[in-house]
Short mmCIF file of all heavy atoms in Angstrom, two decimals:
data_model
loop_
_atom_site.label_atom_id
_atom_site.label_comp_id
_atom_site.label_asym_id
_atom_site.label_seq_id
_atom_site.Cartn_x
_atom_site.Cartn_y
_atom_site.Cartn_z
N TYR A 138 232.74 65.64 92.27
CA TYR A 138 231.85 66.08 91.16
C TYR A 138 231.99 67.59 91.02
O TYR A 138 232.51 68.35 91.95
CB TYR A 138 230.34 65.83 91.46
CG TYR A 138 229.93 64.35 91.11
CD1 TYR A 138 229.99 63.33 91.99
CD2 TYR A 138 229.51 64.10 89.83
CE1 TYR A 138 229.67 62.04 91.76
CE2 TYR A 138 229.18 62.77 89.50
CZ TYR A 138 229.25 61.76 90.38
OH TYR A 138 228.92 60.56 90.04
N ALA A 167 218.70 62.94 85.76
CA ALA A 167 219.66 62.15 86.54
C ALA A 167 220.38 61.11 85.58
O ALA A 167 220.38 59.94 85.90
CB ALA A 167 219.05 61.44 87.72
N TYR A 168 220.86 61.61 84.51
CA TYR A 168 221.62 60.82 83.53
C TYR A 168 220.73 59.61 83.05
O TYR A 168 221.16 58.44 82.97
CB TYR A 168 222.92 60.28 84.04
CG TYR A 168 223.87 61.36 84.48
CD1 TYR A 168 224.14 61.66 85.84
CD2 TYR A 168 224.66 62.00 83.50
CE1 TYR A 168 225.01 62.68 86.20
CE2 TYR A 168 225.50 63.04 83.85
CZ TYR A 168 225.68 63.34 85.22
OH TYR A 168 226.54 64.34 85.59
N SER A 169 219.48 60.01 82.67
CA SER A 169 218.48 59.02 82.16
C SER A 169 217.97 57.99 83.15
O SER A 169 217.56 56.95 82.73
CB SER A 169 219.03 58.25 80.95
OG SER A 169 219.29 59.21 79.93
N ASN A 223 222.62 46.60 92.36
CA ASN A 223 222.07 47.86 92.83
C ASN A 223 222.49 49.04 91.83
O ASN A 223 221.66 49.71 91.31
CB ASN A 223 222.58 48.20 94.19
CG ASN A 223 222.41 47.03 95.11
OD1 ASN A 223 221.27 46.71 95.58
ND2 ASN A 223 223.44 46.27 95.43
N THR A 224 223.82 49.25 91.70
CA THR A 224 224.23 50.35 90.82
C THR A 224 224.65 49.82 89.44
O THR A 224 224.84 48.61 89.29
CB THR A 224 225.44 51.06 91.44
OG1 THR A 224 226.54 50.16 91.50
CG2 THR A 224 225.13 51.57 92.83
N GLY A 225 224.77 50.75 88.50
CA GLY A 225 225.16 50.37 87.16
C GLY A 225 226.53 49.72 87.19
O GLY A 225 226.72 48.65 86.54
N ALA A 226 227.50 50.36 87.79
CA ALA A 226 228.84 49.88 87.73
C ALA A 226 228.92 48.43 88.34
O ALA A 226 229.65 47.60 87.81
CB ALA A 226 229.79 50.76 88.55
N GLU A 227 228.14 48.17 89.36
CA GLU A 227 228.13 46.80 90.00
C GLU A 227 227.59 45.81 88.89
O GLU A 227 228.06 44.61 88.83
CB GLU A 227 227.12 46.75 91.12
CG GLU A 227 227.70 47.18 92.44
CD GLU A 227 226.51 47.10 93.41
OE1 GLU A 227 225.46 47.57 93.17
OE2 GLU A 227 226.75 46.53 94.47
N ALA A 228 226.58 46.23 88.12
CA ALA A 228 226.06 45.35 87.20
C ALA A 228 227.06 45.03 86.06
O ALA A 228 227.20 43.97 85.55
CB ALA A 228 224.74 45.89 86.56
N VAL A 229 227.82 46.14 85.70
CA VAL A 229 228.89 45.90 84.71
C VAL A 229 229.92 44.89 85.18
O VAL A 229 230.34 43.98 84.51
CB VAL A 229 229.49 47.24 84.32
CG1 VAL A 229 230.72 46.98 83.35
CG2 VAL A 229 228.51 48.18 83.60
N ASN A 259 234.59 54.59 76.00
CA ASN A 259 233.39 54.02 76.71
C ASN A 259 233.23 54.66 78.04
O ASN A 259 234.07 55.31 78.62
CB ASN A 259 233.77 52.47 76.90
CG ASN A 259 234.90 52.31 77.88
OD1 ASN A 259 234.76 52.48 79.07
ND2 ASN A 259 236.03 51.93 77.42
N PHE A 260 231.95 54.43 78.55
CA PHE A 260 231.73 54.84 79.94
C PHE A 260 230.88 53.69 80.51
O PHE A 260 229.77 53.49 80.07
CB PHE A 260 231.02 56.14 80.17
CG PHE A 260 230.94 56.44 81.68
CD1 PHE A 260 231.97 57.06 82.31
CD2 PHE A 260 229.80 56.09 82.38
CE1 PHE A 260 231.91 57.25 83.69
CE2 PHE A 260 229.74 56.34 83.75
CZ PHE A 260 230.82 56.90 84.37
N HIS A 261 231.43 52.95 81.49
CA HIS A 261 230.73 51.84 82.09
C HIS A 261 230.72 51.91 83.57
O HIS A 261 230.32 51.01 84.26
CB HIS A 261 231.37 50.47 81.69
CG HIS A 261 231.22 50.22 80.20
ND1 HIS A 261 230.03 49.82 79.60
CD2 HIS A 261 232.16 50.24 79.26
CE1 HIS A 261 230.32 49.65 78.27
NE2 HIS A 261 231.56 49.90 78.03
N GLY A 262 231.19 53.00 84.20
CA GLY A 262 231.20 53.24 85.61
C GLY A 262 232.51 53.62 86.19
O GLY A 262 233.43 53.97 85.45
N ARG A 263 232.66 53.43 87.56
CA ARG A 263 233.76 53.99 88.21
C ARG A 263 234.56 53.10 89.12
O ARG A 263 235.44 53.54 89.87
CB ARG A 263 233.22 55.13 89.21
CG ARG A 263 232.54 56.30 88.46
CD ARG A 263 233.46 57.11 87.67
NE ARG A 263 232.83 58.34 87.25
CZ ARG A 263 233.57 59.31 86.67
NH1 ARG A 263 234.82 59.12 86.41
NH2 ARG A 263 232.97 60.37 86.31
N THR A 264 234.37 51.77 89.04
CA THR A 264 235.09 50.88 89.87
C THR A 264 236.53 50.71 89.30
O THR A 264 236.79 51.13 88.20
CB THR A 264 234.38 49.51 89.92
OG1 THR A 264 234.36 48.98 88.61
CG2 THR A 264 233.06 49.53 90.50
N VAL A 267 236.53 48.76 86.08
CA VAL A 267 235.84 49.43 84.94
C VAL A 267 236.77 50.64 84.48
O VAL A 267 236.84 50.84 83.26
CB VAL A 267 234.46 49.92 85.36
CG1 VAL A 267 233.86 50.79 84.34
CG2 VAL A 267 233.55 48.69 85.51
N LEU A 312 231.90 44.06 75.12
CA LEU A 312 231.06 44.93 75.98
C LEU A 312 230.91 46.24 75.31
O LEU A 312 231.88 46.94 75.07
CB LEU A 312 231.76 45.07 77.36
CG LEU A 312 231.18 46.10 78.38
CD1 LEU A 312 229.78 45.73 78.78
CD2 LEU A 312 232.07 46.24 79.56
N VAL A 313 229.64 46.64 75.05
CA VAL A 313 229.45 47.89 74.23
C VAL A 313 228.15 48.58 74.67
O VAL A 313 227.22 48.02 75.11
CB VAL A 313 229.37 47.39 72.76
CG1 VAL A 313 228.14 46.60 72.45
CG2 VAL A 313 229.43 48.68 71.78
N GLU A 314 228.24 49.92 74.53
CA GLU A 314 227.10 50.77 74.72
C GLU A 314 226.46 50.97 73.35
O GLU A 314 227.12 51.42 72.42
CB GLU A 314 227.43 52.16 75.23
CG GLU A 314 228.21 52.21 76.59
CD GLU A 314 229.03 53.49 76.72
OE1 GLU A 314 228.44 54.47 77.19
OE2 GLU A 314 230.20 53.41 76.44
N PRO A 315 225.14 50.67 73.19
CA PRO A 315 224.52 50.82 71.91
C PRO A 315 224.55 52.24 71.31
O PRO A 315 224.48 52.50 70.13
CB PRO A 315 223.07 50.30 72.07
CG PRO A 315 223.23 49.42 73.24
CD PRO A 315 224.27 49.97 74.13
N ILE A 316 224.59 53.22 72.27
CA ILE A 316 224.88 54.64 71.89
C ILE A 316 225.77 55.03 73.08
O ILE A 316 225.52 54.78 74.20
CB ILE A 316 223.63 55.51 71.91
CG1 ILE A 316 222.69 55.12 70.80
CG2 ILE A 316 223.93 57.02 71.87
CD1 ILE A 316 221.32 55.86 70.72
N GLN A 317 226.96 55.74 72.79
CA GLN A 317 227.85 56.15 73.79
C GLN A 317 227.26 57.44 74.45
O GLN A 317 227.52 58.50 73.83
CB GLN A 317 229.24 56.28 73.33
CG GLN A 317 229.93 54.95 72.99
CD GLN A 317 231.43 55.15 72.69
OE1 GLN A 317 231.88 56.13 72.09
NE2 GLN A 317 232.22 54.22 73.13
N GLY A 318 226.63 57.31 75.56
CA GLY A 318 226.01 58.53 76.19
C GLY A 318 226.99 59.47 76.77
O GLY A 318 227.06 60.64 76.36
N GLU A 319 227.85 59.00 77.69
CA GLU A 319 228.76 59.93 78.32
C GLU A 319 229.74 60.58 77.34
O GLU A 319 230.20 61.68 77.54
CB GLU A 319 229.55 59.23 79.46
CG GLU A 319 228.77 58.81 80.66
CD GLU A 319 228.01 59.97 81.24
OE1 GLU A 319 228.67 60.95 81.66
OE2 GLU A 319 226.75 59.94 81.20
N ASP A 347 225.55 47.16 77.25
CA ASP A 347 225.37 48.01 78.43
C ASP A 347 224.32 49.03 78.07
O ASP A 347 224.55 50.01 77.41
CB ASP A 347 226.72 48.72 78.86
CG ASP A 347 226.52 49.66 80.07
OD1 ASP A 347 225.33 49.93 80.36
OD2 ASP A 347 227.58 50.04 80.60
N GLU A 348 223.06 48.72 78.51
CA GLU A 348 221.97 49.67 78.25
C GLU A 348 221.51 50.44 79.53
O GLU A 348 220.34 50.81 79.63
CB GLU A 348 220.75 48.86 77.66
CG GLU A 348 221.00 48.29 76.27
CD GLU A 348 220.22 48.88 75.21
OE1 GLU A 348 219.57 49.94 75.41
OE2 GLU A 348 220.05 48.22 74.14
N ILE A 349 222.49 50.65 80.33
CA ILE A 349 222.14 51.39 81.59
C ILE A 349 221.64 52.76 81.31
O ILE A 349 220.70 53.26 81.96
CB ILE A 349 223.43 51.40 82.49
CG1 ILE A 349 223.73 50.00 83.03
CG2 ILE A 349 223.26 52.40 83.63
CD1 ILE A 349 225.09 49.85 83.64
N GLN A 350 222.25 53.44 80.31
CA GLN A 350 221.73 54.77 79.98
C GLN A 350 220.74 54.80 78.82
O GLN A 350 219.85 55.59 78.79
CB GLN A 350 222.94 55.70 79.62
CG GLN A 350 222.59 57.13 79.37
CD GLN A 350 223.74 58.09 79.54
OE1 GLN A 350 223.69 59.17 78.97
NE2 GLN A 350 224.79 57.78 80.14
N THR A 351 220.94 53.85 77.86
CA THR A 351 220.14 53.93 76.63
C THR A 351 218.83 53.09 76.79
O THR A 351 217.88 53.29 75.97
CB THR A 351 220.94 53.30 75.46
OG1 THR A 351 221.44 52.03 75.89
CG2 THR A 351 222.07 54.16 75.07
N ILE A 385 222.69 44.58 80.30
CA ILE A 385 222.95 45.28 81.58
C ILE A 385 222.01 46.45 81.69
O ILE A 385 221.99 47.32 80.84
CB ILE A 385 224.40 45.73 81.69
CG1 ILE A 385 225.36 44.63 81.29
CG2 ILE A 385 224.71 46.25 83.06
CD1 ILE A 385 226.86 45.06 81.18
N LEU A 386 221.25 46.47 82.81
CA LEU A 386 220.33 47.59 82.99
C LEU A 386 220.54 48.22 84.40
O LEU A 386 221.07 47.53 85.28
CB LEU A 386 218.84 47.05 82.97
CG LEU A 386 218.35 46.45 81.68
CD1 LEU A 386 216.99 45.85 81.86
CD2 LEU A 386 218.32 47.48 80.58
N GLY A 387 220.17 49.50 84.50
CA GLY A 387 220.24 50.18 85.80
C GLY A 387 219.32 51.39 85.71
O GLY A 387 218.29 51.33 85.11
N LYS A 388 219.75 52.44 86.34
CA LYS A 388 219.10 53.77 86.27
C LYS A 388 217.60 53.62 86.20
O LYS A 388 216.91 53.51 87.20
CB LYS A 388 219.65 54.55 85.11
CG LYS A 388 221.13 54.86 85.13
CD LYS A 388 221.56 55.80 84.05
CE LYS A 388 223.06 55.99 83.91
NZ LYS A 388 223.67 57.02 84.72
N PRO A 396 218.35 52.64 93.93
CA PRO A 396 219.37 52.05 93.12
C PRO A 396 219.05 50.56 92.80
O PRO A 396 219.05 49.70 93.67
CB PRO A 396 220.66 52.11 93.98
CG PRO A 396 220.31 52.83 95.20
CD PRO A 396 218.82 52.80 95.32
N VAL A 397 218.69 50.38 91.55
CA VAL A 397 218.28 48.99 91.03
C VAL A 397 219.02 48.73 89.76
O VAL A 397 218.83 49.51 88.82
CB VAL A 397 216.77 48.81 90.85
CG1 VAL A 397 216.44 47.30 90.52
CG2 VAL A 397 215.96 49.23 92.09
N SER A 398 219.84 47.71 89.70
CA SER A 398 220.43 47.31 88.39
C SER A 398 220.25 45.79 88.22
O SER A 398 219.87 45.09 89.17
CB SER A 398 221.93 47.72 88.35
OG SER A 398 222.63 46.98 89.32
N ARG A 512 224.40 67.50 76.56
CA ARG A 512 223.40 66.35 76.42
C ARG A 512 222.02 66.84 76.85
O ARG A 512 221.86 67.59 77.77
CB ARG A 512 223.83 65.23 77.31
CG ARG A 512 222.75 64.13 77.41
CD ARG A 512 223.26 62.91 78.26
NE ARG A 512 224.25 63.37 79.22
CZ ARG A 512 225.09 62.53 79.78
NH1 ARG A 512 225.17 61.28 79.48
NH2 ARG A 512 225.93 62.96 80.73
C1 PLP B 215 226.44 53.25 79.96
C2 PLP B 215 226.68 53.30 81.49
N1 PLP B 215 227.20 52.27 82.14
C3 PLP B 215 227.39 52.32 83.49
C4 PLP B 215 227.14 53.38 84.19
C5 PLP B 215 227.36 53.40 85.70
O1 PLP B 215 226.22 53.44 86.39
P1 PLP B 215 226.29 53.89 87.90
O2 PLP B 215 226.55 55.32 87.97
O3 PLP B 215 224.83 53.63 88.48
O4 PLP B 215 227.23 53.07 88.58
C6 PLP B 215 226.56 54.61 83.55
C7 PLP B 215 226.33 55.79 84.26
O5 PLP B 215 226.17 56.83 83.81
C8 PLP B 215 226.37 54.47 82.17
O6 PLP B 215 225.88 55.59 81.52
#
Side-chain angles (χ1 to χ4, degrees):
Y138 278 92
Y168 300 103
S169 297
N223 312 287
T224 65
E227 275 178 311
V229 174
N259 67 72
F260 185 84
H261 296 285
R263 299 291 194 173
T264 60
V267 171
L312 170 64
V313 63
E314 299 157 85
I316 292 174
Q317 286 190 325
E319 289 308 297
D347 178 347
E348 292 247 18
I349 290 169
Q350 185 160 161
T351 52
I385 311 172
L386 297 174
K388 296 190 193 269
V397 185
S398 66
R512 171 175 30 202

